[in-house]
Amino acid sequence: DHLLQTFDNQLEHTALHSFCQNPIINASLSVYISRAKDLGIPIEYGIALPEQLAMEETDLAILLANLLENAITATRKLPPAEQSIRLSLMNKGNQLFLRLENSSAQPLQLGGDGLPRTRAAGHGTGMVSLSLFAKKYAAFVSFSEEKGRVQLLMHWHQPGTMESPSHEPPVQSNE
């Protein structure tokens, strides 16, 4: 409830930009991409989502808000020349793919569930959100770190679409 109130307050003070066709996801991206830019953090993004998804769009919006907030927090601890965030989110057929990469001053510490752990007071809700999302949507989640850059990869099927129907046109012959 507190997260939604905070998000509403931030949204009121944020000009909406068009990052994707989905209005709920677009609102979440607008708040956090604008925030990164306002803080002077270079952020690259590629978003390819349809207007409607076959999942609860607020789940993805909240996940993105938490993940981008974590990335901004981690990146801000570095000198400006070392700060950067990259986000890729795309829909292919019935599947969604997310990649988030950010610079980080702290080494990545993973818990037994494979998710990053923090002992800082008032932190960790983003990973709880990610864990709940991953369970609900049976998402593949992988964190890695290399040369001061943390990368999250996620992949999941939209609900009710676990079968992978072919979206390719039938093979045609010119013979």
Side-chain angles (χ1 to χ4, degrees), residues 47-80:
I47 314 296
L49 293 178
E51 189 172 350
Q52 293 188 336
L53 297 171
M55 63 181 292
E56 290 184 48
E57 295 158 344
T58 53
D59 289 345
L60 182 54
I62 290 168
L63 176 70
L64 288 168
N66 282 313
L67 293 175
L68 287 167
E69 177 69 30
N70 286 355
I72 290 168
T73 299
T75 301
R76 286 185 70 190
K77 295 176 182 174
L78 291 165

Side-chain angles (χ1 to χ4, degrees), residues 7 11 15-16 27 48 51 75 79 81 83 103 111 119 124 126 132 159-160 168:
F7 182 75
L11 191 55
L16 289 179
E51 189 172 350
T75 301
Q83 297 178 355
S103 47
R119 290 189 169 85
L132 292 172
E168 297 180 24

Side-chain angles (χ1 to χ4, degrees), residues 94-109:
N94 61 358
Q95 300 175 71
L96 287 153
F97 299 88
L98 182 146
R99 180 176 154 235
L100 179 62
E101 183 180 313
N102 62 274
S103 47
S104 178
Q106 300 294 321
L108 187 64
Q109 295 181 355

Side-chain angles (χ1 to χ4, degrees), residues 6-27:
T6 302
F7 182 75
D8 284 344
N9 291 339
Q10 290 174 337
L11 191 55
E12 284 180 22
H13 302 290
T14 303
L16 289 179
H17 299 280
S18 183
F19 297 104
C20 68
Q21 296 177 351
N22 183 289
I24 295 171
I25 305 303
N26 197 67

Side-chain angles (χ1 to χ4, degrees), residues 147-169:
K147 298 179 183 175
R149 296 202 58 80
V150 173
Q151 180 174 263
L152 163 65
L153 297 174
M154 290 183 68
H155 164 254
W156 67 97
H157 289 84
Q158 294 192 64
T161 61
M162 289 301 281
E163 305 82 31
S164 295
S166 174
H167 295 287
E168 297 180 24

Side-chain angles (χ1 to χ4, degrees), residues 81-100:
E82 297 175 31
Q83 297 178 355
S84 72
I85 298 173
R86 289 188 198 135
L87 172 67
S88 173
L89 177 60
M90 68 181 68
N91 178 76
K92 287 196 174 193
N94 61 358
Q95 300 175 71
L96 287 153
F97 299 88
L98 182 146
R99 180 176 154 235
L100 179 62

